[in-house]
Amino acid sequence: MKLRATGGRIAGLRPRTMLMSGAAAAALLVSTALIAPSAHAAASTLGAAAAQSGRYFGAATNSFQLSNSAYATILNREFNSIVAENEMKWYANEPQQNSFSFSAGDRLVAHARANGMSVRGHTLLWHAQQPGWAQNLSGTALRNAAINHVTRVATHYRGQIHSWDVVNEAFADGGSGARRDSNLQRTGNDWIEAAFRAARAADPGAKLCYNDYNTDGINAKSTGIYNMVRDFKQRGVPIDCVGFQSHLGTTLASDYQANLQRFADLGVDVQITELDVAQGANQASIYERVTRACLAVTRCTGITVWGVWDAASWRDDNPLLFDGNGNKKPAYTSVLNALNSVSGPNPTNPPPTTTPPPPAGGACSASVSLNSWNGGFVATVRVTAGSAAIRGWTVRITLPGGAAVTGTWNAQASGSTGTVNFSNVGYNGQVGAGGSTEFGFQGTGTGPSGTPTCTAT
Ligand code: G2I
């Protein structure tokens, strides 16, 4: 359903543009180095302007949009972070239980890698957009399926995601400040912390966020979330960040920045995760105020807008920074100018998803551990890199006569009988020097004996 935002007016703010030549800026830098943060030439894109203070500026996108060249030109030029608008949601990547479909999300990650962008992950668990099979589960079966989902998806994308929305929209609207009722909530109040722990185990390098909407000021809902985050920090539940979606109408809460700051003061990063603002007289000024609020909070590490241009928005009130023809709107200029107006000590811009592959020529070894029964077996194979990192591997295993592979995970098998080559899949080919990764297969008959050979590619 499309959203129509309504509301009152707020006073417009004029962007404060930094009008200064490069030479003048340099002179100012020298003369005021001890008393002022550094000045810099204005950047001409959102991503570059945000990067001046170590922040990212991202957009939600979908893999099918990347083939629209006008769209992709804007995406690639302006943004240094992307998030999947839909394609990393539960219904999209686990359409059948334990059968994962990562191709669309993988395309987005590859696009980010090719264009020097970081990636936000959205979202591991949410009461909405669940696959039908999960909607029909409850209790322990649902809890186990949900944790399995978190583990498998976060493992698949390990090392590629800057921040994960581990849990999305788990609090109720209105004045209760309580959790939202949902099938996940009915598995027990600890489902959120269980999800965060599973995500940390699966991808220790990703920042783990809780993400919600209608939290754009100090209100009952944001306070309920604040209390949860404070509790998590006190008890050591692994949470690193809170996402403020910021789907906004024609007004902005006067305590928007204060609300961000109170979360930051709990020891978590804050991020603006799904920003869009109703069209109208206040659009540019609200965009500017949100941007300035983030810039004013040291732990506000980045802003993501929920789409590139109005034509692609989930809303029908033209809430984005580019119009349907790809033209920059006044809101674009207000955001760019705000980003360019700030410098000083700030967060570290997340590294883009561009880890170069290690050189070819490393070595690896493999060992098999077998769990056998009469007529069948499960083999777990550990692949270990030698003294240099490897960028891919193939393990050659010979099965006894009569044995056959019936299923493989975390590897691609060349066949099912005789000598079988198991090669890495997209996410586990790179192994650091001395590091290891595991894959497995199950089969009928007697399992393999002897030491397999491992070849690094
Ligand atoms: O509703 C706005 C956002 C609120 N926060 C969480 C976000 O994940 C959410 O994004 C929206 C997407 O912008 C929509 O594009 O989430 C909706 C529900 O997942 C998305 O809409 C859905 C449509 O409802 C489906 O009919 C459609 O099949 O998009 C699907 C894929 O195009």
Side-chain angles (χ1 to χ4, degrees):
M1 192 177 69
K2 291 262 187 179
L3 173 149
R4 279 192 184 281
T6 55
R9 291 178 60 86
I10 59 169
L13 294 179
R14 295 172 63 83
R16 268 193 291 138
T17 314
M18 192 174 69
L19 295 171
M20 195 183 296
S21 72
L28 183 69
L29 174 64
V30 170
S31 65
T32 61
L34 295 177
I35 54 168
S38 64
H40 45 69
S44 61
T45 66
L46 300 170
Q52 294 170 124
S53 67
R55 294 179 171 84
Y56 64 86
F57 204 98
T61 187
N62 298 276
S63 62
F64 67 85
Q65 293 170 310
L66 303 177
S67 54
N68 178 328
S69 64
Y71 174 96
T73 297
I74 299 173
L75 180 73
N76 299 345
R77 184 189 70 220
E78 295 291 341
F79 299 95
N80 58 5
S81 171
I82 57 172
V83 61
E85 183 174 2
N86 290 305
E87 289 163 326
M88 290 190 190
K89 292 174 180 173
W90 198 353
Y91 81 96
N93 59 20
E94 195 182 359
Q96 303 299 328
Q97 187 164 15
N98 255 318
S99 173
F100 290 84
S101 168
F102 289 121
S103 53
D106 287 355
R107 278 201 292 283
L108 293 177
V109 171
H111 186 84
R113 183 190 296 272
N115 290 280
M117 301 162 164
S118 60
V119 182
R120 291 196 85 259
H122 176 82
T123 172
L124 293 171
L125 291 180
W126 185 19
H127 67 274
Q129 300 298 110
Q130 295 179 0
W133 63 265
Q135 294 175 36
N136 290 329
L137 293 181
S138 61
T140 306
L142 175 61
R143 172 67 71 93
N144 289 343
I147 297 304
N148 181 59
H149 178 76
V150 170
T151 299
R152 293 290 300 272
V153 176
T155 299
H156 177 81
Y157 289 111
R158 178 164 47 207
Q160 321 251 39
I161 302 292
H162 173 260
S163 300
W164 263 115
D165 290 335
V166 178
V167 169
N168 190 47
E169 301 176 7
F171 276 74
D173 291 312
S176 71
R179 297 281 183 89
R180 173 196 297 278
D181 178 52
S182 72
N183 60 347
L184 289 165
Q185 181 64 27
R186 290 191 291 272
T187 70
N189 203 50
D190 62 343
W191 73 277
I192 297 181
E193 60 196 85
F196 275 82
R197 292 187 203 280
R200 178 69 98 228
D203 186 355
K207 292 204 179 272
L208 305 181
C209 305
Y210 175 81
N211 190 51
D212 217 325
Y213 67 94
N214 280 353
T215 53
D216 314 302
I218 297 175
N219 57 38
K221 185 174 180 180
S222 64
T223 298
I225 296 164
Y226 176 88
N227 290 337
M228 178 187 75
V229 173
R230 186 176 56 189
D231 171 56
F232 280 11
K233 294 298 285 183
Q234 282 169 353
R235 290 191 296 113
V237 177
I239 185 168
D240 306 305
C241 38
V242 175
F244 297 81
Q245 293 185 12
S246 306
H247 294 293
L248 299 171
T250 55
T251 59
L252 182 69
S254 58
D255 53 5
Y256 185 88
Q257 179 182 321
N259 189 45
L260 298 182
Q261 187 64 57
R262 72 170 174 155
F263 279 85
D265 290 344
L266 290 175
V268 289
D269 288 346
V270 295
Q271 304 175 1
I272 313 305
T273 51
E274 303 183 14
L275 179 61
D276 50 17
V277 181
Q279 69 184 344
N282 296 330
Q283 187 178 54
S285 67
I286 291 177
Y287 263 108
E288 179 189 353
R289 290 173 61 192
V290 169
T291 304
R292 287 187 183 279
C294 179
L295 294 169
V297 175
T298 302
R299 291 198 74 145
C300 183
T301 58
I303 299 173
T304 300
V305 288
W306 205 240
V308 171
W309 59 22
D310 286 337
S313 173
W314 69 293
R315 296 166 59 158
D316 61 6
D317 58 355
N318 299 321
L320 296 172
L321 298 176
F322 292 85
D323 70 19
N325 296 317
N327 299 311
K328 296 170 180 174
K329 293 163 61 176
Y332 170 93
T333 308
S334 73
V335 170
L336 184 68
N337 289 343
L339 292 170
N340 272 324
S341 73
V342 174
S343 59
N346 272 312
T348 303
N349 196 32
T353 309
T354 53
T355 320
C364 59
S365 59
S367 61
V368 181
S369 103
L370 268 186
N371 179 11
S372 302
W373 58 92
N374 191 13
F377 64 90
V378 168
T380 304
V381 185
R382 175 164 289 271
V383 177
T384 304
S387 55
I390 59 174
R391 60 182 180 187
W393 44 263
T394 298
V395 175
R396 188 182 186 75
I397 294 180
T398 301
L399 299 170
V405 175
T406 55
T408 303
W409 52 96
N410 292 341
Q412 180 78 42
S414 64
S416 60
T417 59
T419 297
V420 182
N421 288 327
F422 295 91
S423 299
N424 65 273
V425 286
Y427 56 90
N428 63 3
Q430 289 190 27
V431 184
S436 63
T437 187
E438 276 187 353
F439 71 93
F441 58 99
Q442 64 186 44
T444 52
T446 306
S449 56
T451 307
T453 58
C454 185
T455 309
T457 52

